[in-house]
């Protein structure tokens, strides 16, 4: 007589349930290696929950490539430590926020030296260390973070007011596979920064967000495609950006009022902005000498004809607008962000520009209020000159758009006299006050054609004209 115990009966029932589920669950029939890759793409909590699906899935998570997002400190890091201790698979991605003391980071060093993180491909370290004692500079994150440099493809380091220290050992900071690099709120010397960039032979995308400690940035990269730079909050830190040789660079997003930008060799540059201009403006005849605070060209004949998308931060005079359009004569999509209205008191004049006659199809006005004559005159300048215009979009500031307001704008803009009768006019609300931050977030997405286009993140349209 065979005795079936309660535990054995439970196992048999589980096996029957698993077998029945496998008949309907085609995903579970995939090989283990494929299922592990699927699990590694999930957030940490969701990856762990896959163990509850069935007996087939239980052992997979512990051996799948690790994708860990965690917050830890020197006193309270049981979650991250427990996962690293129990996981048997290789490390793929680690996103770690550290809230420990800056003078006692042994726990963070231990986490970064965990054996299961060997071969890490993506590292995001948010070093929010506490200042101990108050007022002293925050000590940098441990050098253990550089142990992953031979295998990293993505590196994102954010440590507010901390100086980034680099290991002195030969080859310790070589990044042979690094494609994306982000440095935020870091103090770094000019020599150290350029040294790191010179050791990234396949770098495709770079973000320097409010990094300080250097005044000049020179780009020499045969692989870089996307570059975003926001200069430090303190005037006098980053003063000049020189794109010396970047044959594959397609998008360049600088942000800062006190920047000189020199483009020497970037034949594939397609997207540029937000560019600043001087308050007093620059006559079009002076184009190519000192130029604008946001752009400096080398000679009177230089023009960046490859640029198709251009974003301007301020346009104080009509000569400044014309000067920029002469700099970039093949622009198809133009963004103008004006926190303060320019001096457009005179009725706009007719001009002959290549972009007006053959290229410019879309114009976006950011923070439009529709109150002052200067705003209307600037828009009228484009309406009476842009012959190829297909659409004009107004991103509203603090005004609430309604039918009465739209009717008044229709009358003010005199749309019946526009050069392109088929142009369409949209009015949209604005909920992104820090638009340059939004652009920076999209720099690493090389498949995104236009990082300034907010319709991808906020598609709602309030009114049509």
């Amino acid at each position: 007589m065979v005795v079936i115990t309660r535990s054995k009966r439970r196992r048999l029932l589980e096996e029957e349930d698993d077998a029945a589920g496998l008949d309907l669950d085609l995903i579970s029939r995939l090989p283990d290696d494929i299922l592990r890759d699927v699990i590694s793409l999930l957030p940490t909590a969701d990856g762990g929950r896959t163990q509850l699906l069935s007996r087939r899935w239980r052992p997979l998570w512990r051996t799948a490539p690790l994708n860990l997002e965690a917050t830890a400190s020197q006193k309270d890091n049981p979650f991250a430590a427990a996962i690293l201790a129990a996981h048997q698979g290789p490390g793929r991605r680690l996103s770690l926020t550290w809230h420990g003391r800056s003078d006692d980071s042994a726990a963070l060093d231990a986490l970064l030296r965990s054996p299961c993180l060997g071969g890490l491909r993506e590292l995001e370290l948010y070093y929010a260390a506490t200042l101990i004692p108050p007022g002293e500079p925050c000590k940098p994150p441990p050098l253990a973070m550089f142990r992953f440099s031979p295998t990293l493809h993505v590196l994102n380091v954010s440590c507010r007011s901390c100086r980034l220290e680099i290991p002195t050992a030969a080859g310790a900071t070589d990044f042979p596979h690094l494609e994306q690099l982000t440095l935020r709120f870091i103090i770094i010397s000019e020599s150290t920064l350029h040294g790191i960039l010179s050791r990234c032979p396949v770098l495709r995308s770079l973000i320097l967000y409010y990094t300080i400690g250097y005044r000049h940035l020179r780009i020499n990269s045969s692989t870089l495609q996307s570059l975003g730079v926001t200069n430090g909050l303190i005037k006098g830190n980053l003063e000049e950006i020189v794109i010396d040789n970047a044959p594959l660079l397609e998008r360049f997003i600088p942000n800062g009022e006190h920047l000189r930008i020199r483009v020497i060799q970037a034949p594939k540059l397609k997207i540029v902005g937000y560019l600043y201009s001087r308050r007093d403006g620059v006559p079009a005849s002076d184009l190519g000498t000192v130029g604008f605070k946001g752009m400096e060209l080398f000679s009177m004949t230089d023009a960046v004809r490859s640029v198709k998308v251009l974003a301007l931060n301020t346009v104080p005079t009509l000569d400044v607008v014309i000067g920029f359009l002469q700099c970039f004569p093949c622009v198809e999509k133009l963004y103008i962000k004006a926190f303060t209205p320019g001096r457009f008191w005179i009725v706009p004049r007719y001009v002959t520009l290549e972009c007006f006659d053959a290229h410019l199809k879309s114009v976006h006005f950011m923070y439009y209020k529709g109150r002052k004559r200067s705003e209307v005159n600037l828009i009228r300048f484009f309406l009476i000159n842009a012959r190829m215009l297909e659409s004009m979009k107004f991103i509203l500031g603090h005004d609430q758009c309604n039918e009465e307001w739209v009717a008044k704008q229709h009358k003010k803009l005199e749309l019946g006299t526009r050069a392109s009768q088929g142009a369409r006019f949209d009015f949209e609300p604005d909920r992104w006050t820090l638009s340059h931050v939004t652009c920076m977030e999209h720099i690493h997405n090389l498949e995104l054609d236009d990082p300034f286009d907010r319709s991808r993140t906020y598609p709602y349209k309030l009114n049509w004209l």
Side-chain angles (χ1 to χ4, degrees), residues 31-42 57 59-66 89-90 92:
D32 287 358
D33 290 342
I34 295 179
L35 294 180
R36 292 189 186 102
D37 286 338
V38 172
I39 293 173
S40 70
L41 299 176
L42 299 174
W57 287 81
L60 294 177
W61 182 78
R62 291 181 180 272
T63 57
L66 181 64
R92 170 170 290 180

Side-chain angles (χ1 to χ4, degrees), residues 105-382:
S105 57
L108 175 59
D109 185 85
L111 286 176
L112 293 176
R113 295 188 183 279
S114 174
C116 78
L117 293 179
L120 199 68
R121 293 170 60 92
E122 300 182 22
L123 173 62
E124 298 176 4
L125 178 60
Y126 302 95
Y127 187 68
T130 306
L131 300 181
I132 301 293
E136 291 189 3
C138 181
K139 292 185 179 180
L143 298 181
M145 60 179 290
F146 291 103
R147 67 181 281 253
F148 312 114
S149 61
T151 59
L152 281 180
H153 288 241
V154 177
L155 176 60
N156 185 338
V157 182
S158 176
C159 49
R160 188 179 295 273
S161 302
C162 294
R163 181 173 293 278
L164 189 64
E165 295 184 356
I166 306 297
T168 57
T173 55
D174 289 344
F175 298 91
H177 304 291
L178 192 65
E179 298 181 2
Q180 294 182 10
L181 174 61
T182 304
L183 300 178
R184 297 175 182 264
F185 306 110
I186 287 174
I187 304 173
I188 187 170
S189 68
E190 190 170 319
S191 59
T192 300
L193 175 60
H194 288 111
I196 292 177
L197 295 180
S198 67
R199 296 181 178 91
C200 301
V202 297
L203 189 66
R204 300 178 63 196
S205 181
L206 171 65
I207 293 179
L208 300 174
Y209 188 77
Y210 289 125
T211 54
I212 62 175
Y214 60 99
R215 297 199 173 194
H216 305 279
L217 174 64
R218 183 175 292 271
I219 299 298
N220 280 289
S221 174
S222 60
T223 59
L224 192 65
Q225 295 177 249
S226 186
L227 171 64
V229 182
T230 300
N231 68 341
L233 297 173
I234 304 174
K235 182 179 179 180
N237 279 296
L238 179 58
E239 298 175 352
E240 182 181 45
I241 302 174
V242 179
I243 300 179
D244 196 359
N245 182 30
L248 298 183
L249 186 65
E250 295 185 1
R251 69 177 72 177
F252 175 38
I253 302 179
N255 191 277
E257 295 188 46
H258 309 287
L259 279 177
R260 289 176 55 199
I261 300 171
R262 306 171 66 189
V263 179
I264 300 176
Q265 185 69 20
K268 293 188 176 182
L269 193 60
K270 296 180 181 179
I271 301 171
V272 177
Y274 283 101
L275 299 183
Y276 282 79
S277 62
R278 295 192 304 208
R279 289 292 301 169
D280 56 351
V282 177
S285 59
D286 289 342
L287 184 63
T289 55
V290 176
F292 311 101
K293 280 189 177 180
M295 192 63 160
E296 176 180 335
L297 299 179
F298 277 96
S299 71
M300 295 289 290
T301 59
D302 280 339
V304 187
R305 301 188 62 85
S306 60
V307 172
K308 305 300 181 185
V309 179
L310 174 65
L312 306 179
N313 208 312
T314 56
V315 284
T317 67
L318 189 57
D319 285 335
V320 169
V321 177
I322 295 174
F324 272 123
L325 295 179
Q326 288 178 328
C327 279
F328 307 97
C330 299
V331 166
E332 297 177 0
K333 197 172 186 179
L334 176 65
Y335 293 84
I336 297 179
K337 181 173 65 174
F339 291 100
T340 56
R343 298 193 295 269
F344 298 98
W345 309 118
I346 303 174
V347 176
R349 63 178 183 266
Y350 290 92
V351 298
T352 301
L353 293 172
E354 180 181 345
C355 70
F356 282 161
D357 294 334
H359 304 292
L360 188 62
K361 298 179 181 179
S362 178
V363 181
H364 292 217
F365 291 97
M366 321 297 289
Y367 305 106
Y368 178 74
K369 296 180 178 62
R371 298 173 182 169
K372 298 186 177 182
R373 188 64 187 174
S374 59
E375 285 184 297
V376 175
N377 279 344
L378 175 59
I379 295 169
R380 289 287 303 148
F381 171 71
F382 286 93

